[in-house]
Amino acid sequence: MTRHARRRFLTYLVAAPSLAVATKIGLDAYAPGNADAAIPTPPAPADLVDLGDLLILAGKPTANMLVLSVNEDGDVHFRLPREEVGQGLTTAVAMLVAEELDTPLDRVHIQLDDARPELLLNQLTGSSNSIRSLYDPVRHTAAAARARMVGAAADRWGLKARELTVRAGVVVASDGRTASYGSLSAAAASLEPVALTVTPKKESEHILVGTPTSRIDARALVTGKHAYTLDLDVPGAKPCMVRRPPTVNGTVKAVNNESAVRAMPGVLDVVTLDTGVAVVAETFGQALDAKEALDVTWGPGTVDALSDDDIRARLKAATPSLDVLGVLVKKVEAEFDFAFASHAPMETNSAVADVRADRAEIWSGLKSPIAAQAAIAKAVGLPVSEVTVHVVQSGGSFGRRLFHDAALEAAVVSKKSGRAVRLMWSRIDDMRHGRMRPATHHRVRATYAAGQVLTFQHQVAAVETDFRHGLGDAVTAAAADLPTGIGNATFAQTLFLTTVKSPYNFGVTTQALTEVPLKMHTGSWRSVYSANTRGAEEIVVDELAAKLGKDPVAFRRAFLKTARQRAVLDKVAAAGDWGRSLPGGWAQGVGFHEEYKSCTACLVEIDATDPKKPRVTKAVIAADVGRVINPRGLEAQLLGGLTDAISTTLRAGLHIDRGLPLEGSYSQFHYARQKDSPRDVKIFVIEGADEPGGAGELGVPAAVGAVANAYARATGTRPRSFPVNFDVDFTPFPR
Amino acid sequence: MPSHTFSVNGETVTVDAPDDLPLLWALRDLLGVRGPKYGCGIDVCKACTSHLDGEAVRPCVVPVSEAAGREVTTIEGLADGDRLHPVQEAWLEQDVAQCGYCQPGQIMAAVALLKRTRNPTDADIDEIANVCRCGTYFRIREAIKSAADRMA
Ligand code: FES
Ligand code: FES
């Protein structure tokens, strides 16, 4: 019996004229997932209980309000306490609902929930956790609604519920009578009993779930109809942009030409903030001109003296040295550097705010809306209950929208200016003053003898990651009660230990994180520590294989722990024709990663004939994420992870120069374009058993390893610093 | 304030704006046409890509005065009522969009490419410089090829 099969849910009827049900998640005892028992490497904390479990656990007591309603027209509405940023979550949830209700997918409408403070820890989108935490409760909620519909029809016809079936949202009796959900909804709303326990369909009976399905919002997205935050029509909301300091966290000392700027065409207001000087205008074009025209005296920032070299030196100095070894011990050793990386979502940081004397309304793409609501209420001096925070589907995140800085700025400007505003960050500001993945330094060593790996040590030093966005509370609160000994660790340590683990039987394995606190705008970036940490390890794995005279795929096969892991590796090796001969300057590379109860392998081919202009020409990816809701969506996530890996491994990073990133646009932060992307990509989803694992971040680390390894083999080099091509090949924008 | 008259998606419009106001803001802020997206404002990301007299341009760097008397087509003007353009159909078929923010620009760039060449090669597709931060490039490539087939 699987763990989730033991979970119990109580579904409640919500008082409403047509059917509405809400599911409360039961407080059943928590049973940790299976650790791999028969392995020589003792299980790391991540084997016992990973981050996803902690979030589910933490969310449980308050996850009692998943609300589903069926209107009298038969349309199903589900309020989702999560954020959609392009990861396809609304589609996956709609599929689960449609499946359980036996109703067509296009009748299911997903609405992103406003901030609901009563949900406490359970309204946070991150850590690849959404499907993992929602899979069971969503299915129970929809199954309960179906049961009530069938019950209402049975009542109406004087038949037994079990004599009825449902087809496409219509209850059908064996004698041919039919009743649509719409026609039953009012009756279903008034039935006794109020609470009921239902069992969702067996997974073997799923028809829609598990079938490749297109995004429910695809049409709106390709016609330009989808409204992002700044496309919303909020009456009277005026464009607003902020002039920001010349260094990170610089302060405003004086605005020297405020009246001249106020007199510029279209300018409506100038407002000084903690983070800069805001201009409100009739158009964004005018707001941009006016904020550029501002003459501001700035106070110092928090890292003004720091540049890349200093940061790298500090990280290196902070990385603990590895154990002293005897001279005869055979080993592979390597040190790696990874640069800062911008989240750089296509839609820059943005928010709409309408703050009045007695209430406020905010619209923004927020993955942690409860934290945003609390901060805004405090900043504008209103009770939380008077601050409505709407979560808007947004143009990418990659971790960025865990922070609510734009929403907070918009709220303060709106209050001070006495009007509604639409606040937008410029791209330059988004890259320079936005969030970034912290730079890291790595020291890795493996020792071996007689064809066996005896020890594997990895010390990571990272610029401190800012987790002050709500996730910290959820996990540390739950972790404190766990028997794994991580309860007292700092949050970053907790996250590192619960996400990073080695999938190989490498004997005594240690992985540890040291953080270097620098007051910069960092944040978790898709796959948090794993992209760099596991990426670096995959490079060492290739070098170990070479030392032992083994082929990289054969070597991994021999040291991976489970058949499930080997299956994804075998798949890419076969489908990618591993070992085929390639021209000089070309090579294949392979990488493997396991996280959030999912695993994946990636094989790429690279053309590095010009080592300064390498191109990944082909990629083959296989993934087993356990139960798959939407294979098409999963493939999209893996494709995105691949592109992230190609970008950050080969060319995309931020240079820090005297307290500010130099990069200010995509012409400088070299995220891949079409010409950098493979023309041939094959992705295989291996249907796994049991509950769904995480998928949104999984793809990055394996692809980092594959791309770096391919580059190394094609060029005959040992890349140690990423991105490998990282010249300042541009003239930075003025500060 | 100078006034500028041009056509947007087949409708004649007049806006009062300084000559040098970028067309992107005339469209988005003065006319409420919000399909074209801001991603950089300097002709780098190409998220705002729209058509001026049938050719792909970046309205973030086209002054509104330059549009006077000409035809602007944005993503909203591509479909014929409910009938999508074959490129949009191909985008649905390949399920290209993730966050979708770059896709109006990607689609407008693809339509312009297919106008120039009916059977674009991989090298032609590589020339499309529009950024997709979600990394959907391979699906975009497949969709352009599928659209070329549909339009053959
Ligand atoms: S906004 Fe026009 S090219 Fe980026
Ligand atoms: S789909 Fe998100 S940027 Fe392209």
Side-chain angles (χ1 to χ4, degrees):
Chain A
M1 189 189 244
T2 61
R3 176 159 60 81
H4 72 271
R6 286 197 300 270
R7 289 188 189 145
R8 286 284 171 267
F9 298 89
L10 271 182
T11 297
Y12 292 91
L13 202 55
V14 177
S18 56
L19 180 67
V21 292
T23 292
K24 180 179 172 70
I25 297 176
L27 295 169
D28 53 333
Y30 173 70
N34 282 343
D36 298 321
I39 50 169
T41 302
D47 285 315
L48 294 173
V49 48
D50 69 9
L51 182 61
D53 281 325
L54 295 174
L55 285 178
I56 296 164
L57 188 64
K60 261 181 192 173
T62 55
N64 55 351
M65 277 160 284
L66 285 179
V67 183
L68 182 150
S69 56
V70 184
N71 286 2
E72 302 210 347
D73 60 4
D75 274 2
V76 180
H77 294 268
F78 183 78
R79 283 164 49 197
L80 180 65
R82 289 290 186 279
E83 162 70 322
E84 170 70 55
V85 295
Q87 79 278 45
L89 180 63
T90 53
T91 301
V93 169
M95 288 170 73
L96 292 174
V97 169
E99 178 75 61
E100 286 307 326
L101 266 169
D102 286 311
T103 207
L105 184 62
D106 61 8
R107 303 306 296 272
V108 180
H109 308 280
I110 308 289
Q111 192 199 330
L112 302 178
D113 233 335
D114 291 347
R116 293 166 65 192
E118 79 278 9
L119 292 178
L120 297 180
L121 308 177
N122 203 6
Q123 192 174 9
L124 186 129
T125 312
S127 304
S128 299
N129 187 256
S130 293
I131 284 295
R132 298 184 62 196
S133 57
L134 292 169
Y135 180 65
D136 282 331
V138 167
R139 291 185 310 139
H140 278 78
T141 309
R146 182 189 190 277
R148 298 201 70 91
M149 288 296 181
V150 170
D155 249 24
R156 182 182 293 177
W157 296 328
L159 296 171
K160 295 244 160 34
R162 64 182 141 75
E163 298 172 86
L164 307 178
T165 56
V166 179
R167 265 181 247 137
V170 176
V171 184
V172 182
S174 49
D175 60 13
R177 276 182 289 182
T178 62
S180 68
Y181 276 173
S183 71
L184 292 166
S185 190
S190 58
L191 280 180
E192 295 293 320
V194 171
L196 67 147
T197 309
V198 289
T199 313
K201 281 183 189 175
K202 285 205 200 67
E203 280 147 347
S204 58
E205 292 166 9
H206 284 169
I207 297 165
L208 178 61
V209 169
T211 308
T213 302
S214 294
R215 288 273 298 269
I216 56 172
D217 45 358
R219 197 180 168 98
L221 294 171
V222 303
T223 51
K225 293 218 167 71
H226 175 80
Y228 298 90
T229 297
L230 295 175
D231 304 335
L232 296 170
D233 260 320
V234 175
K238 294 295 184 188
C240 172
M241 294 188 79
V242 178
R243 175 70 178 273
R244 293 177 199 280
T247 55
V248 165
N249 288 322
T251 55
V252 182
K253 277 200 158 157
V255 183
N256 306 319
N257 63 343
E258 184 172 331
S259 44
V261 170
R262 282 183 180 276
M264 286 178 70
V267 172
L268 301 169
D269 206 353
V270 175
V271 176
T272 298
L273 303 170
D274 290 343
T275 48
V277 183
V279 177
V280 185
E282 290 292 348
T283 68
F284 275 109
Q286 291 161 329
L288 183 65
D289 286 348
K291 77 123 173 155
E292 291 302 327
L294 280 168
D295 174 13
V296 184
T297 304
W298 301 100
T302 45
V303 287
D304 289 9
L306 283 185
S307 296
D308 273 337
D309 287 350
D310 318 300
I311 296 172
R312 228 170 266 154
R314 285 206 200 190
L315 287 172
K316 201 172 154 96
T319 313
S321 21
L322 306 173
D323 305 341
V324 179
L325 296 177
V327 284
L328 293 179
V329 179
K330 289 196 230 161
K331 60 181 191 288
V332 171
E333 256 179 344
E335 293 197 32
F336 299 92
D337 285 300
F338 286 81
F340 290 91
S342 173
H343 293 85
M346 278 308 289
E347 179 193 20
T348 58
N349 215 8
S350 54
V352 180
D354 186 358
V355 178
R356 309 286 173 92
D358 55 345
R359 69 198 147 87
E361 203 169 355
I362 314 292
W363 293 259
S364 190
L366 296 166
K367 293 174 101 180
S368 187
I370 297 171
Q373 183 187 36
I376 291 166
K378 195 168 161 217
V380 301
L382 286 171
V384 165
S385 57
E386 301 309 322
V387 178
T388 305
V389 173
H390 304 291
V391 175
V392 185
Q393 182 171 333
S394 66
S397 167
F398 320 103
R400 176 64 178 94
R401 292 184 214 279
L402 285 162
F403 297 89
H404 51 253
D405 37 5
L408 186 60
E409 285 180 346
V412 173
V413 176
S414 176
K415 181 183 161 87
K416 289 195 177 175
S417 189
R419 53 162 67 81
V421 297
R422 306 159 58 210
L423 181 140
M424 179 177 85
W425 285 38
S426 74
R427 171 61 59 197
I428 298 178
D429 289 348
D430 207 76
M431 274 186 194
R432 287 181 157 177
H433 294 277
R435 298 277 160 177
M436 50 197 165
R437 180 175 80 186
T440 54
H441 184 81
H442 304 254
R443 205 163 268 166
V444 192
R445 181 204 282 154
T447 61
Y448 59 93
Q452 289 301 316
V453 181
L454 305 176
T455 64
F456 192 88
Q457 277 183 282
H458 189 165
Q459 289 288 354
V460 183
V463 172
E464 187 175 69
T465 305
D466 185 351
F467 290 111
R468 291 168 300 166
H469 43 57
L471 179 68
D473 303 341
V475 177
T476 40
D481 298 331
L482 288 167
T484 49
I486 55 177
N488 296 322
T490 66
F491 175 68
Q493 294 293 344
T494 308
L495 197 129
F496 183 85
L497 290 171
T498 54
T499 56
V500 173
K501 59 175 178 169
S502 168
Y504 302 103
N505 279 321
F506 283 164
V508 179
T509 300
T510 48
Q511 293 152 308
L513 170 73
T514 306
E515 288 205 300
V516 175
L518 295 176
K519 289 213 165 80
M520 304 174 73
H521 297 136
T522 57
S524 44
W525 196 98
R526 195 180 201 171
S527 90
V528 200
Y529 297 110
S530 297
N532 302 3
T533 302
R534 287 285 304 115
E537 291 182 2
E538 286 298 302
I539 297 168
V540 173
V541 170
D542 258 36
E543 294 181 11
L544 252 177
K547 275 274 167 86
L548 290 165
K550 293 262 182 59
D551 165 81
V553 168
F555 180 81
R556 283 179 174 79
R557 277 201 107 255
F559 287 91
L560 282 172
K561 291 173 181 172
T562 67
R564 183 183 179 219
Q565 296 171 329
R566 284 188 288 273
V568 293
L569 181 66
D570 289 348
K571 184 72 202 176
V572 297
D577 199 3
W578 174 254
R580 80 186 183 108
S581 79
L582 289 166
W586 291 57
Q588 292 179 318
V590 72
F592 175 89
H593 183 60
E594 178 176 63
E595 189 169 24
Y596 300 120
K597 299 193 189 336
S598 301
C599 63
T600 185
C602 176
L603 183 161
V604 301
E605 289 183 4
I606 203 166
D607 169 3
T609 332
D610 178 353
K612 282 277 168 206
K613 290 197 178 123
R615 177 167 189 182
V616 173
T617 55
K618 178 178 173 174
V620 182
I621 299 169
D624 178 344
V625 302
R627 181 78 54 200
V628 182
I629 314 300
N630 182 8
R632 208 164 197 205
L634 171 59
E635 287 170 20
Q637 287 301 296
L638 293 166
L639 180 62
L642 170 71
T643 317
D644 282 0
I646 290 172
S647 303
T648 52
T649 306
L650 297 178
R651 286 191 76 203
L654 295 179
H655 293 89
I656 308 298
D657 178 59
R658 290 166 296 131
L660 190 74
L662 288 182
E663 283 77 2
S665 200
Y666 296 107
S667 48
Q668 306 175 348
F669 175 68
H670 295 297
Y671 193 81
R673 311 276 180 110
Q674 188 66 266
K675 69 173 171 46
D676 309 305
S677 304
R679 291 175 181 177
D680 182 1
V681 179
K682 290 196 177 57
I683 301 177
F684 300 93
V685 172
I686 295 175
E687 177 73 17
D690 212 351
E691 61 197 296
E697 306 175 89
L698 178 73
V700 186
V704 168
V707 172
N709 286 333
Y711 183 86
R713 298 172 91 214
T715 56
T717 59
R718 288 188 176 165
R720 290 293 183 257
S721 183
F722 298 95
V724 289
N725 289 315
F726 195 39
D727 299 334
V728 179
D729 55 358
F730 55 89
T731 310
F733 296 107
R735 293 184 180 226
Chain B
M1 182 89 66
S3 93
H4 313 270
T5 300
F6 48 98
S7 125
V8 178
N9 300 327
E11 239 180 79
T12 304
V13 298
T14 300
V15 291
D16 296 330
D19 283 349
D20 61 352
L21 181 75
L23 176 61
L24 178 63
W25 305 118
L27 289 167
R28 289 188 52 92
D29 295 344
L30 302 178
L31 295 164
V33 178
R34 291 178 177 168
K37 303 292 181 242
Y38 167 89
C40 72
I42 52 169
D43 194 14
V44 162
C45 75
K46 323 285 182 191
C48 63
T49 305
S50 301
H51 294 177
L52 192 57
D53 290 340
E55 271 189 45
V57 295
R58 262 67 62 189
C60 66
V61 291
V62 174
V64 64
S65 55
E66 241 176 63
R70 301 171 73 182
E71 268 178 46
V72 177
T73 310
T74 69
I75 187 72
E76 290 99 328
L78 204 53
D80 180 4
D82 272 350
R83 236 190 49 232
L84 297 184
H85 187 282
V87 170
Q88 290 169 309
E89 290 286 359
W91 244 248
L92 293 185
E93 171 203 282
Q94 295 296 323
D95 203 30
V96 175
Q98 288 192 26
C99 82
Y101 196 82
C102 74
Q103 301 298 348
Q106 302 278 5
I107 290 169
M108 295 309 278
V111 170
L113 172 66
L114 288 164
K115 237 187 215 175
R116 288 198 302 279
T117 156
R118 294 167 64 115
N119 260 314
T121 61
D122 274 316
D124 293 330
I125 296 173
D126 280 353
E127 297 290 303
I128 295 182
N130 294 48
V131 177
C132 175
R133 176 60 184 86
C134 297
T136 65
Y137 298 111
F138 182 66
R139 286 189 178 181
I140 290 174
R141 184 180 296 278
E142 296 286 284
I144 293 174
K145 291 178 182 172
S146 163
D149 288 346
R150 287 162 189 268
M151 292 164 75

Short mmCIF file of all heavy atoms in Angstrom, two decimals, chain A residues 572-591:
data_model
loop_
_atom_site.label_atom_id
_atom_site.label_comp_id
_atom_site.label_asym_id
_atom_site.label_seq_id
_atom_site.Cartn_x
_atom_site.Cartn_y
_atom_site.Cartn_z
N VAL A 572 18.11 7.12 -22.51
CA VAL A 572 18.79 8.17 -23.30
C VAL A 572 19.98 7.59 -24.05
O VAL A 572 20.29 8.02 -25.16
CB VAL A 572 19.23 9.39 -22.46
CG1 VAL A 572 18.01 10.09 -21.87
CG2 VAL A 572 20.24 9.05 -21.39
N ALA A 573 20.65 6.59 -23.43
CA ALA A 573 21.82 6.01 -24.11
C ALA A 573 21.37 5.31 -25.40
O ALA A 573 22.01 5.47 -26.45
CB ALA A 573 22.53 5.03 -23.19
N ALA A 574 20.25 4.61 -25.32
CA ALA A 574 19.77 3.89 -26.51
C ALA A 574 19.20 4.88 -27.53
O ALA A 574 19.59 4.89 -28.70
CB ALA A 574 18.71 2.87 -26.09
N ALA A 575 18.29 5.74 -27.07
CA ALA A 575 17.62 6.65 -28.01
C ALA A 575 18.59 7.69 -28.56
O ALA A 575 18.41 8.21 -29.66
CB ALA A 575 16.44 7.33 -27.33
N GLY A 576 19.63 8.00 -27.79
CA GLY A 576 20.58 9.02 -28.23
C GLY A 576 21.78 8.41 -28.94
O GLY A 576 22.72 9.12 -29.29
N ASP A 577 21.75 7.08 -29.12
CA ASP A 577 22.83 6.41 -29.84
C ASP A 577 24.17 6.74 -29.20
O ASP A 577 25.10 7.22 -29.87
CB ASP A 577 22.79 6.84 -31.32
CG ASP A 577 23.54 5.84 -32.21
OD1 ASP A 577 24.04 4.83 -31.66
OD2 ASP A 577 23.64 6.09 -33.42
N TRP A 578 24.24 6.51 -27.90
CA TRP A 578 25.45 6.85 -27.13
C TRP A 578 26.67 6.16 -27.74
O TRP A 578 26.64 4.98 -28.03
CB TRP A 578 25.27 6.43 -25.67
CG TRP A 578 26.53 6.60 -24.85
CD1 TRP A 578 27.36 5.62 -24.40
CD2 TRP A 578 27.09 7.84 -24.40
NE1 TRP A 578 28.40 6.16 -23.70
CE2 TRP A 578 28.26 7.52 -23.68
CE3 TRP A 578 26.71 9.18 -24.54
CZ2 TRP A 578 29.08 8.51 -23.09
CZ3 TRP A 578 27.50 10.15 -23.95
CH2 TRP A 578 28.67 9.81 -23.24
N GLY A 579 27.72 6.92 -27.90
CA GLY A 579 28.97 6.36 -28.39
C GLY A 579 29.12 6.45 -29.90
O GLY A 579 30.13 6.02 -30.45
N ARG A 580 28.11 7.00 -30.60
CA ARG A 580 28.24 7.07 -32.06
C ARG A 580 29.39 8.00 -32.41
O ARG A 580 29.75 8.91 -31.64
CB ARG A 580 26.93 7.54 -32.70
CG ARG A 580 26.68 9.03 -32.67
CD ARG A 580 25.28 9.34 -33.19
NE ARG A 580 25.06 10.79 -33.24
CZ ARG A 580 25.00 11.47 -34.38
NH1 ARG A 580 25.13 10.86 -35.54
NH2 ARG A 580 24.79 12.77 -34.35
N SER A 581 29.96 7.79 -33.57
CA SER A 581 31.15 8.59 -33.90
C SER A 581 30.72 9.94 -34.43
O SER A 581 29.71 10.08 -35.12
CB SER A 581 32.03 7.84 -34.90
OG SER A 581 31.49 7.97 -36.19
N LEU A 582 31.48 10.95 -34.04
CA LEU A 582 31.17 12.33 -34.38
C LEU A 582 32.43 12.99 -34.92
O LEU A 582 33.54 12.56 -34.60
CB LEU A 582 30.67 13.08 -33.14
CG LEU A 582 29.28 12.71 -32.62
CD1 LEU A 582 29.06 13.26 -31.22
CD2 LEU A 582 28.19 13.20 -33.56
N PRO A 583 32.26 14.04 -35.70
CA PRO A 583 33.45 14.73 -36.22
C PRO A 583 34.28 15.37 -35.12
O PRO A 583 33.78 15.56 -33.99
CB PRO A 583 32.87 15.81 -37.14
CG PRO A 583 31.38 15.72 -37.07
CD PRO A 583 31.00 14.60 -36.16
N GLY A 584 35.51 15.73 -35.42
CA GLY A 584 36.36 16.40 -34.43
C GLY A 584 35.71 17.70 -33.97
O GLY A 584 35.08 18.40 -34.75
N GLY A 585 35.86 17.99 -32.68
CA GLY A 585 35.24 19.21 -32.14
C GLY A 585 33.79 19.00 -31.72
O GLY A 585 33.16 19.90 -31.16
N TRP A 586 33.25 17.83 -32.00
CA TRP A 586 31.90 17.48 -31.55
C TRP A 586 32.02 16.40 -30.48
O TRP A 586 32.99 15.65 -30.48
CB TRP A 586 31.07 16.88 -32.69
CG TRP A 586 30.68 17.83 -33.78
CD1 TRP A 586 31.53 18.58 -34.54
CD2 TRP A 586 29.35 18.10 -34.25
NE1 TRP A 586 30.80 19.31 -35.46
CE2 TRP A 586 29.47 19.03 -35.30
CE3 TRP A 586 28.08 17.65 -33.87
CZ2 TRP A 586 28.36 19.52 -35.98
CZ3 TRP A 586 26.97 18.12 -34.56
CH2 TRP A 586 27.11 19.06 -35.60
N ALA A 587 31.03 16.32 -29.60
CA ALA A 587 31.03 15.22 -28.64
C ALA A 587 29.66 15.05 -28.01
O ALA A 587 28.84 15.97 -28.03
CB ALA A 587 32.07 15.47 -27.54
N GLN A 588 29.45 13.89 -27.44
CA GLN A 588 28.27 13.64 -26.63
C GLN A 588 28.62 13.85 -25.16
O GLN A 588 29.79 13.75 -24.78
CB GLN A 588 27.78 12.20 -26.82
CG GLN A 588 27.24 11.92 -28.21
CD GLN A 588 26.79 10.48 -28.35
OE1 GLN A 588 27.46 9.57 -27.88
NE2 GLN A 588 25.66 10.27 -29.02
N GLY A 589 27.61 14.11 -24.37
CA GLY A 589 27.81 14.20 -22.93
C GLY A 589 26.54 13.72 -22.24
O GLY A 589 25.45 13.82 -22.80
N VAL A 590 26.69 13.21 -21.03
CA VAL A 590 25.53 12.66 -20.36
C VAL A 590 25.50 13.16 -18.91
O VAL A 590 26.54 13.50 -18.33
CB VAL A 590 25.56 11.11 -20.44
CG1 VAL A 590 26.64 10.53 -19.54
CG2 VAL A 590 24.20 10.51 -20.13
N GLY A 591 24.31 13.27 -18.36
CA GLY A 591 24.15 13.67 -16.97
C GLY A 591 22.92 12.99 -16.38
O GLY A 591 22.00 12.60 -17.11
#
